[in-house]
Amino acid sequence: MSAASSALRNRKTSVISLGASDLDRGVEISGAPLVRLQWQPVGDGSPEVAWNLAQLVGDASDADCLGSRIDRANSQVLERILAAQPVWEDVAAHASDVWPDMGMTLLHAGPPIDWKDMCGPMKGAVIGAILYEKWATTPGEAETLVVEGGIRFAPCHEFGAVGPMAGIISPSMPLFVVTNKTAGNRAYAPLMESGGAKTLRFGAFEPQVIEGLKLIENVLAPCLKAAIAGIDGGLPLKPLMSQSLHMGDDVHNRNTAATLLLYRAVTESLLNSSILRDTVHNTLSTIGADDMFFLSLSMAACKATMDAAHGVPFSSIVTAMARNGVNVGIRVSGLHGQWFVGPADIPVGLFLPGFSEADANPDIGDSAITETAGLGAFAMAAAPAMVQFVGGTPEDALRYSREMAHITIGRNPGFTLPMLDFIGAPVGIDIRKVVNESMRPVINTATAHKEPGMGIIGAGVVQAPMKCFVDAIETFATTASK
């Protein structure tokens, strides 16, 4: 035996394990250094999923294969996302001004859902919206109206809109109007209510909730409409959101800096307007008292960005993630008009005193449009203080932003992350990468009580269900093969 062979034989063996943990017992007993990699086969070992995915892989030597066509389409989608310039231009006095044929329709958060399947907070918000519209005078009458088929439901996303939590939009509600100047498309979101638990978005429908909605309709919305009219060309939102990332926001669950920047812009405009002093004071007090007020504009900006990227043939990029409190749904650019759904999980994080997971509703709201656009948990490295709200450590915030780069196709130089050397936030969720990496998109979110009107009981982190992406891969492969 040579000296080299003898040295190799006497050297202590180190082992990297990729397989079943039971096979590692012998190594553990021997005392050899052992590293277990967190790995699992594509599609949990399903040959069907692996085959569907294999059909969608690009080939540098074959520009005409399906995967290469997908890669080119995805590059086009990324260009649209990065080129987007969302601008707050107006406040629509009523949703029915935007959609004149709305009738007795209520828009809701998440993918399509029927009344009988809705969670508690969404049912409560539906009742509240009916009372607000005066289609009924009591909660009992409102529920009867729904059960008898008097109300039509549709997802906000299918109307170019987004709504926080229950996400209900009724015909009389005012809406922020955001225009993507690059593509010319518009997006809409209701103005954020103040008041914590007793708000429509958490399913409350007490008289003070209806009064609050009327205050928004009759005071806040007209005042903000005048404010934006006084800003020449509207308020560009992308620079404001970029600046807020550098000030500690993620522009989803932390909007403190963004709201202050909005406050500054609105104040300057209103001081130059003819709006009554008391009205200006009430409006500014409402904005100043709610660190989350900017969320509606953030969501509308992200919606305007991602809608411009929707409907590109052969693209495998996710253009919407939305939750209705029962299911999570995604939309894929190249699979226009289709929803892919899976069960919503309860966020993992922190609860307010007196509450626990037993009280929590599964994830709800359209606000995950921010993650879809590369913000929220994808940009959480910019907002390490978020962990005080959702749980975890500052290192977790950095990790989320690093990990999400594995399932996206690019980075947004318009949204840079100071804590990661000002690299752009990851953007462009590719359903192929999600399934191939077995890594689900992360969303940071508020946690709602499962009973209507109880409000926020905590916050945490949740992941979109893998079923959405597996089903989308299957549909993509089947559709493309035809």
Side-chain angles (χ1 to χ4, degrees), residues 220 223-224 262-264 266-268 270-271 278-290:
L220 191 62
C223 190
L224 289 176
L262 174 69
Y263 186 95
R264 182 175 67 180
V266 167
T267 299
E268 185 175 353
L270 289 177
L271 289 177
D278 286 348
T279 301
V280 171
H281 180 267
N282 288 337
T283 298
L284 293 179
S285 295
T286 299
I287 298 173
D290 186 358

Side-chain angles (χ1 to χ4, degrees), residues 39 81 204 273 303 319 433:
W39 175 88
I81 294 172
S273 74
K303 175 64 173 170
T319 53
K433 289 191 172 189

Side-chain angles (χ1 to χ4, degrees), residues 113-180:
I113 191 168
D114 294 327
W115 166 261
K116 62 181 177 59
D117 299 318
M118 289 180 182
C119 65
M122 187 171 286
K123 283 188 172 182
V126 166
I127 290 172
I130 291 172
L131 297 176
Y132 166 67
E133 294 291 343
K134 298 182 179 179
W135 295 337
T137 58
T138 68
E141 288 179 5
E143 186 165 354
T144 298
L145 179 64
V146 177
V147 172
E148 292 180 349
I151 303 296
R152 184 170 76 95
F153 296 107
C156 292
H157 270 287
E158 294 181 1
F159 279 66
V162 279
M165 303 310 289
I168 300 299
I169 298 176
S170 70
S172 297
M173 290 182 182
L175 300 173
F176 282 122
V177 181
V178 173
T179 301
N180 179 352

Side-chain angles (χ1 to χ4, degrees), residues 37-391:
L37 296 185
Q38 298 300 314
W39 175 88
Q40 60 185 25
V42 170
D44 291 331
S46 166
E48 292 81 10
V49 174
W51 172 242
N52 287 334
L53 183 62
Q55 296 179 71
L56 309 183
V57 175
D59 184 348
S61 64
D62 185 358
D64 293 325
C65 77
L66 176 57
S68 296
R69 297 176 75 178
I70 292 172
D71 290 340
R72 289 195 298 273
N74 287 351
S75 295
Q76 181 182 349
V77 164
L78 183 61
E79 288 177 4
R80 293 187 183 188
I81 294 172
L82 300 186
Q85 294 296 333
V87 175
W88 173 30
E89 283 196 323
D90 196 7
V91 174
H94 304 103
S96 58
D97 296 336
V98 178
W99 307 294
D101 298 329
M102 194 174 180
M104 295 179 68
T105 298
L106 296 179
L107 308 186
H108 62 77
I113 191 168
D114 294 327
W115 166 261
K116 62 181 177 59
D117 299 318
M118 289 180 182
C119 65
M122 187 171 286
K123 283 188 172 182
V126 166
I127 290 172
I130 291 172
L131 297 176
Y132 166 67
E133 294 291 343
K134 298 182 179 179
W135 295 337
T137 58
T138 68
E141 288 179 5
E143 186 165 354
T144 298
L145 179 64
V146 177
V147 172
E148 292 180 349
I151 303 296
R152 184 170 76 95
F153 296 107
C156 292
H157 270 287
E158 294 181 1
F159 279 66
V162 279
M165 303 310 289
I168 300 299
I169 298 176
S170 70
S172 297
M173 290 182 182
L175 300 173
F176 282 122
V177 181
V178 173
T179 301
N180 179 352
K181 289 294 189 178
T182 306
N185 62 297
R186 284 183 164 181
Y188 309 90
L191 280 64
M192 182 67 68
E193 302 166 84
S194 297
K198 298 303 179 185
T199 52
L200 190 78
R201 67 181 182 272
F202 284 106
F205 50 81
E206 288 89 341
Q208 64 264 39
V209 174
I210 309 305
E211 291 171 8
L213 293 173
K214 287 297 181 183
L215 181 68
I216 290 175
E217 180 185 350
N218 298 322
V219 178
L220 191 62
C223 190
L224 289 176
K225 185 178 182 69
I228 196 58
I231 300 176
D232 188 30
L235 182 64
L237 296 176
K238 193 170 185 178
L240 189 154
M241 294 160 75
S242 177
Q243 185 178 356
S244 70
L245 287 175
H246 293 179
M247 297 169 68
D249 282 355
D250 72 327
V251 212
H252 179 178
N253 274 288
R254 183 180 171 89
N255 284 277
T256 305
T259 299
L260 288 173
L261 294 173
L262 174 69
Y263 186 95
R264 182 175 67 180
V266 167
T267 299
E268 185 175 353
S269 178
L270 289 177
L271 289 177
N272 294 321
S273 74
S274 59
I275 301 295
L276 294 175
R277 181 181 179 88
D278 286 348
T279 301
V280 171
H281 180 267
N282 288 337
T283 298
L284 293 179
S285 295
T286 299
I287 298 173
D290 186 358
D291 286 349
M292 291 297 290
F293 189 84
F294 185 79
L295 177 60
S296 292
L297 282 168
S298 174
M299 291 170 61
C302 292
K303 175 64 173 170
T305 297
M306 299 311 296
D307 269 6
H310 193 60
V312 176
F314 293 103
S315 173
S316 59
I317 300 303
V318 175
T319 53
M321 288 192 297
R323 310 94 86 207
N324 58 29
V326 177
N327 293 314
V328 177
I330 67 169
R331 301 207 303 173
V332 180
S333 181
L335 297 171
H336 188 61
Q338 299 184 62
W339 285 96
F340 300 93
V341 302
D345 291 331
I346 292 174
V348 176
L350 303 177
F351 289 96
L352 297 176
F355 298 103
S356 69
E357 184 176 330
D359 304 304
N361 198 81
D363 198 22
I364 186 171
D366 284 334
S367 57
I369 190 65
T370 56
E371 274 81 6
T372 317
L375 296 169
F378 284 53
M380 202 163 155
M386 272 290 300
V387 298
Q388 294 180 307
F389 183 53
V390 301

Side-chain angles (χ1 to χ4, degrees), residues 329-482:
I330 67 169
R331 301 207 303 173
V332 180
S333 181
L335 297 171
H336 188 61
Q338 299 184 62
W339 285 96
F340 300 93
V341 302
D345 291 331
I346 292 174
V348 176
L350 303 177
F351 289 96
L352 297 176
F355 298 103
S356 69
E357 184 176 330
D359 304 304
N361 198 81
D363 198 22
I364 186 171
D366 284 334
S367 57
I369 190 65
T370 56
E371 274 81 6
T372 317
L375 296 169
F378 284 53
M380 202 163 155
M386 272 290 300
V387 298
Q388 294 180 307
F389 183 53
V390 301
T393 66
E395 180 55 39
D396 290 327
L398 299 176
R399 177 171 55 83
Y400 295 138
S401 293
R402 291 191 183 106
E403 288 181 347
M404 292 302 97
H406 293 292
I407 60 171
T408 52
I409 63 168
R411 291 185 177 275
N412 193 336
F415 294 141
T416 57
L417 308 176
M419 294 293 288
L420 294 179
D421 296 326
F422 289 93
I423 194 169
V427 68
I429 301 168
D430 188 343
I431 59 172
R432 299 176 302 172
K433 289 191 172 189
V434 171
V435 176
N436 186 58
E437 297 285 341
S438 296
M439 182 179 290
R440 299 182 289 160
V442 176
I443 302 164
N444 60 30
T445 182
T447 305
H449 198 288
K450 63 185 178 183
E451 298 298 330
M454 293 293 290
I456 183 173
I457 62 170
V461 172
V462 70
Q463 293 174 295
M466 184 60 74
K467 183 180 185 301
C468 301
F469 302 91
V470 169
D471 289 352
I473 286 287
E474 180 182 6
T475 300
F476 214 118
T478 302
T479 302
S481 68
K482 294 179 180 179

